[in-house]
Amino acid sequence: MAGSGRRPEHRGPPELFYDEAEARKYTQNSRMMEIQSQMSERAVELLGLPEDRPCLLLDVGCGSGLSGDYISDEGHYWIGMDISPAMLEVAVEREVEGDLLLADVGHGIPFRPGMFDGCISISAVQWLCNADKKSHNPPKRLYRFFSTLYTALAQGSRAVLQLYPENSEQVQDITQWERAGAHHSPSHESWLYWGNGGRLPQQRQSQEVLPLSLCWGIWHIAKGPWY
């Protein structure tokens, strides 16, 4: 896909783009930290977690643990997955409270069925639309991600995935393979929340709101959608 080169996905695979310098720059940027905190707060709110007990959450694309900080502050436990060693190293240096796993989510979510009470992901899933290596097949990677994510969620749980698709073709690809993944676990359904709409704050880049910021919610049928 053609692009301006401004998007991180156009500059190389995430494990190379988020090298040591970029990881520290991202984590020390006060504006990025504020945006990440706002998105994480709203994402956790949309999970609709029970108030009478701590929960175990999965953070997909956890980076340096900024979203995890909010999860910990809310009294929950979390496991973070990220493909960037440099990002995870910064998370270790920051002494985040969650457990960290160096992994490519395009290979799937490597946890036992029903393990998590919820999942959040901030600005990560769109990377799966790119073929950064000859072995990468974006449709297969998206299917593998969604089908294994469904499996890893406990009954009655939700996932909130905030992402920035580049164009309508990426939205169609993600939608198609999310639904295919849902067929792998038919007890789940999904719902799309477009743009800001009072649901998730949008990130700004060069004073312009990115055109396709959306929140993707997945929930077990027994629990139902949120409003």
Side-chain angles (χ1 to χ4, degrees):
M1 297 178 184
S4 64
R6 293 167 56 192
R7 294 173 62 98
E9 304 95 277
H10 294 160
R11 304 177 192 177
E15 65 271 30
L16 298 182
F17 175 78
Y18 289 109
D19 57 12
E20 181 177 357
E22 190 65 28
R24 296 187 185 281
K25 176 182 175 183
Y26 185 94
T27 306
Q28 295 171 0
N29 186 313
S30 59
R31 179 172 167 273
M32 289 302 301
M33 292 176 67
E34 180 182 2
I35 291 171
Q36 189 85 10
S37 178
Q38 291 175 353
M39 290 185 173
S40 302
E41 179 178 0
R42 186 56 176 144
V44 171
E45 180 183 0
L46 287 171
L47 289 179
L49 300 173
E51 299 180 357
D52 58 347
R53 63 176 178 86
C55 295
L56 177 62
L57 305 182
L58 175 65
D59 184 358
V60 172
C62 66
S64 58
L66 296 178
S67 295
D69 287 344
Y70 180 79
I71 294 173
S72 296
D73 289 344
E74 290 297 295
H76 301 297
Y77 304 105
W78 60 279
I79 297 175
M81 297 178 62
D82 204 279
I83 197 173
S84 167
M87 277 291 202
L88 294 181
E89 180 62 30
V90 173
V92 171
E93 292 177 3
R94 296 179 60 245
E95 298 182 342
V96 299
E97 296 184 18
D99 293 323
L100 304 171
L101 175 65
L102 178 64
D104 179 357
V105 299
H107 294 163
I109 306 299
F111 296 101
R112 62 178 172 80
M115 179 169 175
F116 294 100
D117 300 306
C119 169
I120 69 168
S121 179
I122 307 298
S123 307
V125 175
Q126 70 271 7
W127 287 90
L128 294 176
C129 296
N130 296 337
D132 294 315
K133 301 177 181 178
K134 290 183 178 180
S135 60
H136 282 182
N137 182 310
K140 288 184 178 180
R141 287 167 59 76
L142 285 164
Y143 172 78
R144 183 65 178 166
F145 167 67
F146 280 114
S147 61
T148 54
L149 173 60
Y150 284 131
T151 300
L153 292 173
Q155 183 175 5
S157 63
R158 297 171 177 169
V160 176
L161 316 177
Q162 183 275 336
L163 55 143
Y164 293 108
E166 183 175 359
N167 48 43
S168 59
E169 286 78 11
Q170 282 194 359
V171 175
Q172 293 172 1
D173 289 344
I174 293 171
T175 301
Q176 175 184 352
W177 294 106
E178 181 275 327
R179 290 173 178 170
H183 292 158
H184 177 82
S185 180
S187 62
H188 289 77
E189 293 183 349
S190 63
W191 187 265
L192 284 173
Y193 283 139
W194 285 89
N196 188 3
R199 296 181 171 87
L200 277 179
Q202 294 192 52
Q203 183 176 356
R204 294 180 178 271
Q205 186 175 36
S206 300
Q207 305 304 314
E208 295 180 0
V209 176
L210 294 174
L212 290 174
S213 175
L214 59 88
C215 165
W216 204 298
I218 303 168
W219 67 88
H220 193 280
I221 289 176
K223 193 163 188 176
W226 57 84
Y227 299 96

